[in-house]
Amino acid sequence: MDSKLPLALTQGDPAGIGPELAARLWFERRENGVAPFIYLGDPRILVERARMIGIDLPIAVSAPETALATFDTALPVFTIDAGIPVQPGEPDPRSAPGTISAIETAVRFTMRGKTAAVVTNPIAKSVLYQSGFSYPGHTEFLAALSQGETGQAVMPVMMLACPQLRVVPITIHIALSRVPDSLTADLIVETARITAHDLRVKFGIERPRLAFAGLNPHAGEDGAMGTEEQTIIRPALASLRDEGIDVIGPLPADTMFHAAARQNYDVALCMYHDQALIPVKTLGFDDGVNVTLGLPFIRTSPDHGTAFGIAGKGVARVESLLSAAKMAAAMAEASK
C-alpha cells in the first residue's frame, strides 16, 4: 500500500455496530498492525459510541491529506453529519443521507487518489429504502458511483474470503427456483474473467486457479441428475480455457471444500448464493471479508450486518472489520 494514502472507512448505519467497531479498530491499531485509515461519518456519534464501550477516543477532524499525520495519536475523521441524534439499535431513515454520503465520499476520495481503498461498515438496506434509496444494495450503488466517476459501466462481482477459502457466487440474491434459468454460459465466463483479472492485479496471484462447482448433485452425474453441467457450465469452462484461464470443474460441491481439495485452487466459483457462502462462513464466520471485484478501486467490507441488537453493548467482535482493513491494505500494496 502507498504509505502516503490512508484507507477510507465508512460509518455504515450509525445505529449499528459500525461506529464502535471503527473505534476499536483504531484503539487496537498497534497490537493488530492496522494500516492508517480515515473515518467518514459523524464524529459525535463515534465518540459517544466509543465511550459506551469503554473507550476514551481521541479524534482529529481531518481530510485525507492530513490523516496520516494524526493517525498515531488520534483517529482522523472526515465529518459527515448524521442529521439527527442516533441511538444504538434504533435505526432511523432520517440518518440515511449521511450513510449514503459517507459511501459516496469514500469512493470519490479513492478514485481521485486521495485514499488507497474503500472499507465499508454495514448498512441496513431496509432503512435506506425508506429514504428513497433505489439500489438493491451496497454493491450496485458502488458500481453506479464508479460509472459516474469514469463514464464506464462495470460488472461488480462479490467475493467472500477468509484465510482458508475464497468463494464467488455466480448468481447471488435470487430465489433458488430462479437459478437454473438465470445461469448462462456468458454469465459464468464474464464472472470468471473479472475474478481472474482481479486476483492477478489486486491480489498478486500470477496465474489464478479457478475451481467451479456443479449446479446439481454430483455435478450432474453425466446428465443423470441434471444437464446444466453439460449444456451450460462445461462449454463456459472450455471458452475460459481457450482464453488461457486456469479452470477446473465442474466439481461436485459436496467434495470440493475439504482441506485437501482447497489446496488445488485459489478461488471457488459457485452456481448460487448458499453453495458459496455456507462453506466460507463455516470456515471463517468471525473473520470473513466481503470483497467487490470488477470495480476500478478496491473495496472490502466485514462479512456481517449492522447487528442493531447488540449495538452499543460492547460485545461486537472486531475481527471481520480488522480482516477487511488488512485485506484492503494488502490489495492496495499488490496493485501498486
Side-chain angles (χ1 to χ4, degrees):
M1 168 181 172
D2 187 336
S3 60
K4 297 180 182 178
L5 294 179
L7 305 173
L9 175 63
T10 67
Q11 67 175 4
D13 191 302
I17 60 175
E20 65 197 77
L21 291 182
R24 281 195 59 194
L25 189 67
W26 183 86
F27 190 72
E28 299 172 4
R29 66 199 180 284
R30 293 190 179 96
E31 56 262 49
N32 290 328
V34 176
F37 63 89
I38 183 169
Y39 179 82
L40 281 62
D42 193 312
R44 294 167 301 178
I45 294 171
L46 176 64
V47 171
E48 177 186 340
R49 202 66 54 78
R51 190 176 297 119
M52 292 179 72
I53 64 170
I55 295 175
D56 184 12
L57 183 70
I59 66 168
V61 175
S62 304
E65 295 82 359
T66 58
L68 295 181
T70 64
F71 186 78
D72 192 52
T73 56
L75 172 52
V77 178
F78 184 85
T79 301
I80 297 175
D81 199 314
I84 59 166
V86 176
Q87 298 301 317
E90 298 180 14
D92 190 320
R94 292 177 297 169
S95 71
T99 302
I100 294 167
S101 179
I103 301 168
E104 293 171 334
T105 305
V107 170
R108 184 171 66 251
F109 282 165
T110 303
M111 293 200 68
R112 298 182 185 183
K114 296 182 178 182
T115 50
V118 176
V119 182
T120 57
N121 264 310
I123 59 174
K125 292 187 285 292
S126 61
V127 176
L128 298 186
Y129 294 157
Q130 293 177 61
S131 73
F133 187 72
S134 60
Y135 298 91
H138 240 141
T139 302
E140 295 82 2
F141 186 41
L142 291 166
L145 292 174
S146 168
Q147 184 171 352
E149 285 285 326
T150 66
Q152 301 294 319
V154 297
M155 175 180 163
V157 170
M158 183 173 78
M159 183 173 79
L160 281 296
C162 67
Q164 302 95 326
L165 177 66
R166 300 183 189 96
V167 298
V168 168
I170 293 174
T171 64
I172 308 178
H173 296 125
I174 61 173
L176 191 59
S177 61
R178 292 177 52 203
V179 170
D181 289 337
S182 301
L183 194 64
T184 66
D186 286 345
L187 178 61
I188 294 170
V189 168
E190 189 59 26
T191 303
R193 286 173 178 158
I194 292 167
T195 301
H197 174 273
D198 277 19
L199 287 182
R200 286 194 306 271
V201 173
K202 297 178 181 177
F203 286 82
I205 301 174
E206 185 175 348
R207 184 171 171 77
R209 301 167 299 166
L210 281 58
F212 290 77
L215 173 66
N216 297 296
H218 299 188
E221 196 77 69
D222 292 327
M225 299 183 184
T227 60
E228 286 85 358
E229 287 76 14
Q230 295 169 311
T231 60
I232 299 171
I233 303 174
R234 291 186 189 279
L237 269 55
S239 295
L240 292 167
R241 291 190 186 97
D242 289 342
E243 296 179 15
I245 298 175
D246 189 347
V247 301
I248 57 173
L251 305 172
D254 61 349
T255 59
M256 67 181 289
F257 295 111
H258 63 83
R262 296 197 304 271
Q263 304 310 306
N264 297 317
Y265 56 83
D266 298 300
V267 61
L269 286 88
C270 302
M271 299 301 125
Y272 56 92
H273 181 277
D274 285 10
Q275 191 183 58
L277 271 63
I278 288 173
V280 76
K281 290 195 173 186
T282 299
L283 290 168
F285 187 78
D286 290 321
D287 57 359
V289 178
N290 186 335
V291 186
T292 306
L293 307 179
L295 299 174
F297 56 90
I298 294 163
R299 181 263 179 155
T300 67
S301 178
D303 184 25
H304 58 66
T306 52
F308 292 128
I310 61 171
K313 297 181 179 179
V315 298
R317 298 176 66 110
V318 77
E319 287 89 344
S320 188
L321 179 59
L322 172 62
S323 295
K326 286 190 169 185
M327 185 174 291
M331 292 170 68
E333 180 66 28
S335 301
K336 287 170 59 177

